[in-house]
């Protein structure tokens, strides 16, 4: 059996292409159903995210399940033209497909190398295929190995531990330098756009439980606040919120600072010396940098945080060779295991068949010689037969092992079974 993959990702297809090739939940279910009707006994796992669409398939008979068949399947399920699918989906098979899956699961093929989300997406795709009864020996083996590989990369390298987004650095690295914990701290977040949403997600994950979203549009603030269990206030009430705040965060798109330095100084005086951390994530900046000189105020601006992101990115890049070495080891191990499972029975039966023929011919030869050879001569004859048998078996066995390492792309396993009449149950 061999693994085939067709797909596209952010590396080779623009977002408008990926959008047309992405699968909804309903389309995934329909694809599984159609695949089962067309390829009885074959296996399929479908991974569809915002950055990639990939179908991993395997069948007991490689000639039945070709890349063209998978292209037809995608075209039919998504109501796209066959030429469109063929032009934008890349084929990988055998070792190349397995290595690619391991790279994807370990987040080494992601738009942001080391993102934690992709492994859970791979697991969910595998679980969906299991629930649809579309998995089998090959997909079980390769996706379980991909999960193991990703965990090795996570534990044996620091590639996932370096934060790359400004909000993740701000909440994950800067906040702990000022506060032991976020629980109980009053957090006031200015703005309700994408940056605010991402920041709120990190805040909630970090234990924040006293959140307030301040925005010019109350409707937008309320919508975001409801999603994260926060309060919502209009921007005109920002002054009152600053007095109460322990952590103040700016994420608006305002062209001027949302609070000037004199106003902030007056508000800070009302806070009775309590420490305040200010994270200015906005461009242009939401807060005048002078406020960082106020007593008890710690100000971090976008440039400070972006510099930390760049340092982390360089550190991740340093970890790449170590992570890739793990991938290579796991791919080699997977194919060694696959080779033993698939070729072991055939090689054993082939050896047994050769030994049986050899023993019969030796018995016939010694019978004809009618005791005219001594024991030493008989042993030499047996050794010669052994050497002859080994030399005859070595080329097909070596070719079979090489073919297994390539995902049985040449079909030698089936050919040997038929040529030597070894049977399908071997």
């Amino acid at each position: 059996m061999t693994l085939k993959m067709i797909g596209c990702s952010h590396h080779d297809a623009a977002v408008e292409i990926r959008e047309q090739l992405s699968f909804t939940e309903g389309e995934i279910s329909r694809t599984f159903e159609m695949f089962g009707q067309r390829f009885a006994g074959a296996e399929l796992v479908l991974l569809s995210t915002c950055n990639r669409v990939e179908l991993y398939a395997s069948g007991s008979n490689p000639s039945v399940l070709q890349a063209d068949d998978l292209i037809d399947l995608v075209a039919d399920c998504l109501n796209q033209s066959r030429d469109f699918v063929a032009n934008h989906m890349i084929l990988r098979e055998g070792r190349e497909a397995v290595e690619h899956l391991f790279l994807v699961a370990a987040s080494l093929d992601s738009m942001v190398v080391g993102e934690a989300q992709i492994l859970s997406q791979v697991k969910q795709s595998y679980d969906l295929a299991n629930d649809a009864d579309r998995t089998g020996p090959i997909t079980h083996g390769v996706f379980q190995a991909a999960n193991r590989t990703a965990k090795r990369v996570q534990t044996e390298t620091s590639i996932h531990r370096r934060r790359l987004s400004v909000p993740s650095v701000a909440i994950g690295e800067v906040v702990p330098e000022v506060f032991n914990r976020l629980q109980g701290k009053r957090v006031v977040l200015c703005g309700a756009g994408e940056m605010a949403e991402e920041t709120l997600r990190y805040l909630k994950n970090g234990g924040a439980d006293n959140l307030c979203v301040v925005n010019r549009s109350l409707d937008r603030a309320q919508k975001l606040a409801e999603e994260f269990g926060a309060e919502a206030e209009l921007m005109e009430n920002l002054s009152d919120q600053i007095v109460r705040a322990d952590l103040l965060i700016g994420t608006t798109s305002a062209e001027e600072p949302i609070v000037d330095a004199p106003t902030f100084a007056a508000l800070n005086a009302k806070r009775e010396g309590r420490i305040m951390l200010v994270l200015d994530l906005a461009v242009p900046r939401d807060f005048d940098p002078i406020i960082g000189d106020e007593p008890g105020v710690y100000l971090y601006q976008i440039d400070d945080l972006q510099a930390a992101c760049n340092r982390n990115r360089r550190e991740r890049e340093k970890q790449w060779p170590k992570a890739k070495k793990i991938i290579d080891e796991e791919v080699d191990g997977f194919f060694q295991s696959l080779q033993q499972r698939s070729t072991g029975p055939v090689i054993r039966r082939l050896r047994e068949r050769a030994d049986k023929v050899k023993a019969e011919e030796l018995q016939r030869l010694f019978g004809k010689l009618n005791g005219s050879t001594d024991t030493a001569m008989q042993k030499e004859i047996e050794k010669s037969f052994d050497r002859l048998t080994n030399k005859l078996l070595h080329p097909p066995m070596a070719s079979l092992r090489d073919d297994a390492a390539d995902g049985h792309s040449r079909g030698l396993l089936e050919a040997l079974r038929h040529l030597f009449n070894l049977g399908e149950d071997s």
Side-chain angles (χ1 to χ4, degrees):
M1 300 177 77
T2 185
L3 184 73
K4 288 184 172 68
M5 189 282 283
I6 64 164
C8 65
S9 71
H10 59 280
H11 292 298
D12 40 64
V15 63
E16 56 267 23
I17 300 298
R18 301 198 304 273
E19 287 173 347
Q20 296 179 68
L21 293 172
S22 65
F23 286 75
T24 64
E25 288 186 14
E27 288 167 341
I28 291 176
S29 298
R30 187 165 71 249
T31 301
F32 283 143
E33 182 179 353
M34 192 177 295
F35 182 84
Q37 293 170 352
R38 295 184 183 185
F39 313 107
E43 309 170 29
L44 176 69
V45 176
L46 199 164
L47 174 63
S48 183
T49 72
C50 59
N51 285 328
R52 69 181 66 248
V53 177
E54 296 174 349
L55 287 80
Y56 294 86
S58 180
S60 57
N61 188 346
S63 64
V64 173
L65 186 60
Q66 297 293 332
D68 286 344
D69 298 321
L70 295 174
I71 290 171
D72 290 339
L73 179 73
V74 173
D76 293 343
C77 291
L78 297 180
N79 293 319
Q80 296 286 354
S81 76
R82 190 187 185 284
D83 288 343
F84 176 79
V85 176
N87 288 337
H88 294 290
M89 282 198 152
I90 294 173
L91 168 68
R92 294 180 174 90
E93 56 184 320
R95 185 183 180 92
E96 185 184 7
V98 172
E99 181 179 14
H100 178 76
L101 175 60
F102 287 11
L103 287 167
V104 169
S107 188
L108 300 185
D109 192 67
S110 298
M111 184 175 290
V112 178
V113 173
E115 66 170 335
Q117 186 180 12
I118 186 63
L119 179 57
S120 64
Q121 293 171 333
V122 171
K123 288 180 180 177
Q124 289 169 9
S125 298
Y126 173 58
D127 290 340
L128 280 175
N130 275 329
D131 293 341
D133 198 25
R134 291 272 64 88
T135 51
I138 293 296
T139 45
H140 283 316
V142 74
F143 275 84
Q144 289 167 11
N147 182 57
R148 181 179 63 250
T149 301
K151 288 182 177 179
R152 277 195 64 192
V153 172
Q154 288 177 355
T155 57
E156 296 177 29
T157 76
S158 61
I159 204 164
H160 293 78
R161 300 172 208 156
R162 301 285 182 172
R163 299 173 176 87
L164 297 186
S165 72
V166 168
S168 66
V169 169
I171 307 306
E173 297 183 16
V174 175
V175 169
E177 293 180 4
V178 180
F179 301 120
N180 290 329
R181 61 179 188 170
L182 277 171
Q183 193 172 13
K185 300 297 181 183
R186 178 68 172 179
V187 181
V188 176
L189 186 143
C190 305
E194 291 182 7
M195 180 74 80
E197 184 175 352
E198 183 182 356
T199 304
L200 281 168
R201 188 169 291 108
Y202 284 112
L203 286 165
K204 290 295 289 186
N205 290 339
D209 56 3
N210 188 0
L211 293 159
C212 179
V213 178
V214 180
N215 196 51
R216 286 185 174 82
S217 166
L218 185 60
D219 288 343
R220 174 60 186 159
Q222 289 174 334
K223 183 178 179 181
L224 194 60
E226 288 175 7
E227 183 178 350
F228 291 94
E231 301 172 16
E233 287 285 352
L234 281 169
M235 188 64 74
E236 61 193 50
N237 297 324
L238 177 59
S239 294
D240 293 338
Q241 294 302 322
I242 289 176
V243 174
R244 297 177 57 193
D246 298 296
L247 172 57
L248 177 64
I249 305 173
T251 69
T252 78
S253 55
E255 295 182 2
E256 299 290 336
I258 56 178
V259 55
D260 59 39
T263 301
F264 185 90
L267 296 172
N268 191 45
K270 298 179 181 180
R271 302 184 66 259
E272 301 178 346
R274 288 177 17 248
I275 289 175
M276 173 187 275
L277 173 60
V278 181
L279 301 174
D280 195 343
L281 314 186
V283 180
R285 291 174 293 188
D286 275 344
F287 307 110
D288 191 316
I290 296 175
I291 71 172
D293 298 330
E294 286 291 315
V297 175
Y298 297 88
L299 170 66
Y300 286 80
Q301 301 177 81
I302 186 72
D303 287 349
D304 305 320
L305 300 167
Q306 190 61 59
C309 292
N310 293 337
R311 286 196 302 272
N312 288 350
R313 183 172 285 104
R314 289 193 294 270
E315 289 301 316
R316 280 195 180 188
E317 290 171 355
K318 290 179 183 178
Q319 292 291 306
W320 171 270
K322 186 176 181 180
K324 184 59 170 62
K325 184 179 178 182
I326 292 172
I327 298 290
D328 293 341
E329 291 173 357
E330 289 291 337
V331 171
D332 289 341
F334 174 79
F335 276 102
Q336 288 172 5
S337 173
L338 186 65
Q339 171 187 310
Q340 291 171 358
R341 291 200 305 269
S342 62
T343 66
V346 172
I347 289 176
R348 185 181 66 251
R349 289 287 296 275
L350 186 57
R351 170 64 69 179
E352 289 171 353
R353 180 67 55 83
D355 287 342
K356 181 181 178 182
V357 172
K358 179 187 69 177
E360 291 173 349
E361 288 301 312
L362 280 171
Q363 184 179 11
R364 187 177 65 84
L365 176 61
F366 292 145
K368 283 189 174 184
L369 293 174
N370 196 22
S372 61
T373 57
D374 57 21
T375 302
M377 181 60 72
Q378 288 185 8
K379 287 185 178 179
E380 284 300 320
I381 293 173
E382 289 176 358
K383 288 180 181 179
S384 294
F385 270 64
D386 286 338
R387 285 194 295 269
L388 178 62
T389 303
N390 289 336
K391 287 180 179 180
L392 289 172
L393 289 180
H394 177 73
M397 287 183 174
S399 296
L400 183 58
R401 292 189 180 98
D402 291 342
D403 190 40
D406 291 334
H408 296 295
S409 59
R410 290 173 290 168
L412 292 186
L413 188 66
E414 293 301 316
L416 281 175
R417 279 177 172 153
H418 290 296
L419 282 171
F420 291 94
N421 193 25
L422 298 176
E424 291 296 326
D425 60 341
S426 54

